[in-house]
Amino acid sequence: MQKLDGTRAQIAIVDDDFSVRAALGNLLRSVNYKTLLFESAEAVLQSNALRNISFMVLDVKLKGISGIELFEQLRAIEVNIPTAFISGNANLNTQLRIARAGAVLFLSKPVDVELLLRTIDDTLKV
């Protein structure tokens, strides 16, 4: 898929579970998104591609820096990437914190892939 400026949309998937990263990466590539897979928040912060990410799928619970902490750090340095959070065990307080932080979506695992794809498409206006 292309963004309005003609470049290919690049979706980052950040999850410390390899099978989740791989499955979501395969899903997004199957509908023509370019994907970047990261196993940690630290890997995202060190990436040269950070400012080229169009959308991020971010696990709440990561080893090291949490998904929420990563999202807040990016906002603090004015890197505002539309983000869908995913989690296998987030409680209501976590979901409220995510919503207040400005995430576009929260999904419980297993992920509702149709809702995720629709949200990405709507957010990127493709």
Side-chain angles (χ1 to χ4, degrees):
M1 303 275 175
Q2 291 189 348
K3 296 187 291 184
L4 294 176
D5 66 3
T7 60
R8 288 187 66 189
Q10 196 159 228
I11 312 296
I13 300 164
V14 187
D15 198 305
D16 53 9
D17 183 329
F18 173 79
S19 62
V20 172
R21 277 195 320 272
L24 289 174
N26 288 335
L27 169 73
L28 292 169
R29 283 189 300 276
S30 76
V31 293
N32 298 319
Y33 282 111
K34 185 175 179 183
T35 61
L36 297 169
L37 307 180
F38 298 97
E39 65 180 331
S40 70
E42 292 84 355
V44 173
L45 291 170
Q46 295 169 3
S47 172
N48 292 331
L50 184 60
R51 296 209 182 257
N52 297 321
I53 296 171
S54 304
F55 193 95
M56 185 163 44
V57 179
L58 179 57
D59 191 9
V60 171
K61 204 171 202 178
L62 298 167
K63 295 177 181 109
I65 298 171
S66 76
I68 297 171
E69 291 169 327
L70 170 63
F71 187 74
E72 291 170 343
Q73 284 184 29
L74 292 175
R75 290 284 171 112
I77 60 171
E78 298 183 3
V79 176
N80 297 311
I81 302 168
T83 300
F85 279 90
I86 59 175
S87 179
N89 57 359
N91 61 35
L92 182 58
N93 287 335
T94 301
Q95 292 179 40
L96 288 172
R97 182 176 172 193
I98 290 166
R100 286 187 195 116
V104 296
L105 181 66
F106 172 83
L107 292 170
S108 294
K109 292 178 184 176
V111 171
D112 178 339
V113 295
E114 289 182 19
L115 179 55
L116 177 62
L117 289 173
R118 190 168 50 249
T119 300
I120 292 170
D121 288 349
D122 288 349
T123 301
L124 300 178
K125 306 288 190 250
V126 294

